[in-house]
Structure formats: structure tokens, C-alpha cells
């Protein structure tokens, strides 16, 4: 295992059945962990969507869409109190923010795509199409995030260098 990796990005997607009003939101849960070494941190993103349809004369159309992005950040409870480690932690936070911005854009693209679904013969078909679009958008998001991380050498090209 390569110890120099600073953040692990995992996108999970799950369609949801409940009806919700159109609203994009982000929730960040921060949990400290004594089990992590100071050079490691972990961020998991969960992208979910909810869609309901309305049957009209032209078919079933999206009437309500909600896309949520939840980020769970796990980092050590205590960091070494040296200037080098404090700078590292600041760089890690800045790098995670850049990744999170890309994840948020993915959520916005998904929301827009779901609202643009053409009328379907029935609302069950609409939900199937929405799930297909959701999983397709998720694959695109995953690829874009992986490319960003690799292009920036997992933050090293942006100044994220672990102190010795």
C-alpha cells in the first residue's frame, strides 16, 4: 500500500424513493480517529438522488428532484503541533476543498440531467431512466475526480507534501 496517498475519494450512489422538493444540499460530517496516523486522512463522498414524477397528457415528467452530496471526513484527532504539520494540515484541507468542489459540480450536473428527462410513458419508466442517468453521471464524476487526483499527484503538485 502506498503510504503517501493523502485522500481517498469514494463515490457511492443510491437512488431513493421518497418524494422531496427540489433542493441541492451538502452535508459534511467530520469524525476524528485516533486510529489514523497523522499523515493519513480519508474522505468518502455519497451522492444520492430522489425523483418523483407527475403523469401529464404527454407522459410522466420529473416534478421533484433532490440530489444530495454527503462528505465524511476522517482525520486524526490530534496532529503534531509543529509548523510543518500545521502547514500540511492546511494544505490537506485546501486540497480536499478542491476535490469537494468537483463533487458538488457533479451533483449539480446530475440534478440538471434529471430535470431534463423527456416525458416517459409512465412514472416507473421515468424512475428507471433517472437511475440509468444517475449511474452514468456517477461514472463520469468518478473518472473526473480520479483524473484530477492523478494530474495533481494526489495533492503533491499543489503543495501537499507530508513532513518527515
Amino acid at each position: 500500500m502506498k503510504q503517501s496517498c493523502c485522500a481517498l475519494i469514494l463515490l457511492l450512489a443510491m437512488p431513493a424513493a421518497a418524494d422531496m422538493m427540489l433542493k441541492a444540499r451538502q452535508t459534511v460530517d467530520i469524525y476524528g480517529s485516533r486510529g489514523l496516523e497523522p499523515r493519513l486522512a480519508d474522505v468518502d463522498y455519497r451522492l444520492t438522488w430522489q425523483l418523483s414524477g407527475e403523469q401529464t397528457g404527454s407522459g410522466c415528467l420529473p416534478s421533484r428532484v433532490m440530489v444530495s452530496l454527503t462528505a465524511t471526513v476522517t482525520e486524526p484527532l490530534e496532529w503534531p503541533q509543529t509548523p510543518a504539520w500545521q502547514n500540511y494540515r492546511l494544505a490537506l484541507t485546501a486540497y480536499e476543498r478542491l476535490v469537494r468542489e468537483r463533487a458538488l459540480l457533479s451533483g449539480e450536473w446530475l440534478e440538471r440531467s434529471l430535470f431534463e428527462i423527456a416525458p416517459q410513458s409512465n412514472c416507473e419508466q421515468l424512475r428507471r431512466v433517472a437511475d440509468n442517468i444517475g449511474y452514468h453521471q456517477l461514472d463520469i464524476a468518478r473518472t473526473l475526480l480520479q483524473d484530477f487526483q492523478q494530474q495533481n499527484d494526489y495533492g503533491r503538485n499543489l503543495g501537499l507534501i507530508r513532513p518527515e
Side-chain angles (χ1 to χ4, degrees):
M1 180 172 141
K2 191 172 182 179
Q3 291 286 332
S4 57
C5 181
C6 299
L8 168 68
I9 303 302
L10 173 65
L11 279 176
L12 304 171
M14 299 184 327
D19 292 343
M20 301 297 266
M21 296 298 291
L22 168 63
K23 186 176 181 182
R25 71 172 186 238
Q26 176 197 12
T27 305
V28 178
D29 299 318
I30 301 177
Y31 300 99
S33 172
R34 292 191 189 279
L36 291 177
E37 297 179 32
R39 68 180 177 269
L40 299 177
D42 182 62
V43 181
D44 292 326
Y45 289 96
R46 181 175 300 262
L47 186 64
T48 60
W49 60 89
Q50 299 174 344
L51 175 135
S52 61
E54 182 178 329
Q55 193 68 44
T56 66
S58 60
C60 188
L61 297 167
S63 60
R64 290 183 220 145
V65 173
M66 186 175 96
V67 175
S68 295
L69 175 69
T70 302
T72 302
V73 180
T74 306
E75 63 179 34
L77 288 173
E78 297 178 16
W79 293 81
Q81 295 301 309
T82 65
W85 277 104
Q86 289 173 353
N87 288 338
Y88 177 74
R89 186 174 183 194
L90 290 172
L92 183 63
T93 301
Y95 177 67
E96 191 278 326
R97 187 177 311 120
L98 291 172
V99 174
R100 182 179 58 231
E101 287 171 3
R102 282 151 180 80
L104 283 168
L105 282 174
S106 297
E108 290 173 13
W109 294 334
L110 173 58
E111 184 175 65
R112 189 172 306 121
S113 296
L114 293 174
F115 262 121
E116 292 176 355
I117 297 175
Q120 300 297 309
S121 59
N122 59 56
C123 290
E124 182 57 37
Q125 178 64 22
L126 176 69
R127 281 187 282 281
R128 283 194 296 272
V129 169
D131 287 348
N132 288 338
I133 289 171
Y135 287 115
H136 177 72
Q137 290 284 351
L138 180 67
D139 286 339
I140 292 169
R142 217 181 260 132
T143 300
L144 291 173
L145 286 171
Q146 288 170 349
D147 290 350
F148 172 77
Q149 288 184 300
Q150 291 171 354
Q151 289 167 0
N152 290 288
D153 196 17
Y154 297 89
R156 284 180 212 79
N157 296 345
L158 301 171
L160 183 60
I161 300 169
R162 183 181 65 83
E164 293 300 321

